[in-house]
């Protein structure tokens, strides 16, 4: 049941945003976000299972079968400090139904207990486990939102640097790519983004990466974007990180990478996390899922 956009915006600002604020202890924020995620509806027929990939605890969310040969590796957002497969379950379920296949969501290690490169190492371990299970690289889509979108980019850059096969597609939802936090939208959209406050970002960066320019994987906007898999980006025009998406899309297109971009007016950061309640969220996930499915099954 979809609720009016204004209701979803109010709920995001009053219920979700406070749980992202560093004014609350990290354990409280993590537990609170999981409870919010558990309260959101899932599409009928959604199936869930718990397991592991490469030693990383992983939740698998699937639509009713049968499935095609493709799979999705999904990396959740949360500023590298909070969030989990549970907090993002409605988004993951929506993407599973849209792609028509199971989505594997690893619970990668979080900062500040586990700073960079722990999250990237876990994502890489999950990727290698999917490959070892018999899934070819071109049949796997890598996707993520916010910090998870940045982590997805980091994973692809690491794979390329190591000379490994790349995924068949890359899907990014409101990706956080500029850890220097210098984009104009941080101030331009500070009042319109219902989820994020730009004042929170510097502390999250400090907890995750002592030197944001210390590794190529931390600077995806400065990377050579030639030869990447087809890139599909979703962002809200009202979010403080929209410049990250705009810049990535422009540079990827200039490098010859196939790109699609859903830049939705009136939407805030990571709005597809409200899948099942927000019509724009379901529309964005459907479009993204169909694109990932097409790339990985051709």
């Amino acid at each position: 049941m979809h609720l009016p956009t204004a209701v979803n915006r109010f709920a995001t600002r009053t219920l979700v945003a406070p749980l992202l604020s560093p004014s609350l202890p990290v354990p409280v924020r993590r537990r609170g976000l999981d409870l919010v995620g558990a309260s959101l509806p899932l599409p009928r027929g959604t199936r869930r299972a718990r397991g592991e990939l490469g030693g990383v605890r992983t939740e698998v969310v699937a639509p009713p079968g049968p499935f095609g040969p493709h799979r999705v590796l999904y990396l959740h957002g949360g500023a590298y400090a909070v969030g989990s497969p549970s907090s993002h379950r409605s988004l993951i379920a929506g993407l599973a139904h849209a792609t028509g296949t199971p989505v594997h969501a690893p619970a990668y290690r979080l900062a500040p207990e586990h700073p960079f490169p722990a999250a990237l190492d876990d994502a890489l371990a999950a990727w290698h486990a999917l490959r070892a299970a018999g899934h070819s690289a071109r049949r796997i889509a890598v996707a993520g939102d916010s910090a998870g979108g940045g982590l997805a980019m980091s994973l692809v850059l690491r794979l390329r640097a190591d000379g490994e096969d790349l995924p068949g597609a890359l899907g990014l939802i409101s990706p956080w790519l500029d850890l220097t936090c210098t984009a104009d939208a941080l101030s331009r959209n500070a009042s319109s983004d219902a989820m994020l406050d730009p004042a929170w970002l510097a502390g999250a960066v400090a907890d995750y990466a002592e030197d944001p320019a210390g590794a190529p994987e931390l600077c995806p906007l400065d990377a050579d974007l030639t030869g990447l898999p087809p890139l599909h980006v979703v962002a809200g025009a009202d979010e403080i990180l929209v410049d990250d998406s705009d810049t990535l899309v422009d540079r990827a297109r200039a490098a010859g990478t196939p790109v699609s971009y859903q830049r939705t007016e009136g939407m805030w950061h990571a709005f597809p996390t409200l899948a099942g309640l927000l019509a724009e969220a379901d529309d964005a996930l459907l479009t993204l899922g169909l694109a990932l499915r097409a790339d990985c099954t051709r």
Side-chain angles (χ1 to χ4, degrees), residues 52-56 58 73 104 122-135 140:
E52 67 171 42
L53 284 173
V56 182
T58 300
L73 177 64
H104 301 259
D122 287 354
L124 189 64
W127 166 267
H128 285 152
L130 279 177
R131 297 282 283 112
H135 301 291
I140 303 173

Side-chain angles (χ1 to χ4, degrees), residues 104-227:
H104 301 259
Y108 59 83
R109 287 172 291 172
L110 299 173
E113 302 96 320
H114 305 285
F116 177 85
L120 178 56
D121 290 344
D122 287 354
L124 189 64
W127 166 267
H128 285 152
L130 279 177
R131 297 282 283 112
H135 301 291
S136 67
R138 69 184 184 89
R139 299 294 192 193
I140 303 173
V142 174
D145 68 283
S146 193
L151 187 56
M153 280 295 298
S154 294
L155 173 60
V156 171
L157 294 175
R158 171 71 68 85
L159 291 172
R160 187 177 66 178
D162 291 346
E164 298 191 37
D165 292 337
L166 300 184
L170 183 58
L172 308 179
I173 298 171
S174 298
W176 186 18
L177 305 171
D178 177 16
L179 298 186
T180 66
C181 304
T182 57
D184 177 69
L186 292 174
S187 56
R188 186 180 73 245
N189 288 347
S191 62
S192 61
D193 194 329
M195 183 175 286
L196 288 186
D197 184 326
W200 302 339
L201 300 185
V205 173
D207 286 341
Y208 177 61
E210 183 175 324
D211 179 8
E217 298 95 342
L218 293 173
C219 307
L221 293 180
D222 296 330
D224 176 7
L225 301 179
T226 58

Side-chain angles (χ1 to χ4, degrees), residues 8 21 59 73 105 184 188 190 198 221 242 262 268-269 271:
N8 281 289
S21 169
E59 182 164 309
L73 177 64
D184 177 69
R188 186 180 73 245
L221 293 180
V242 69
Q262 303 174 69
W268 51 90
H269 180 70
F271 66 93

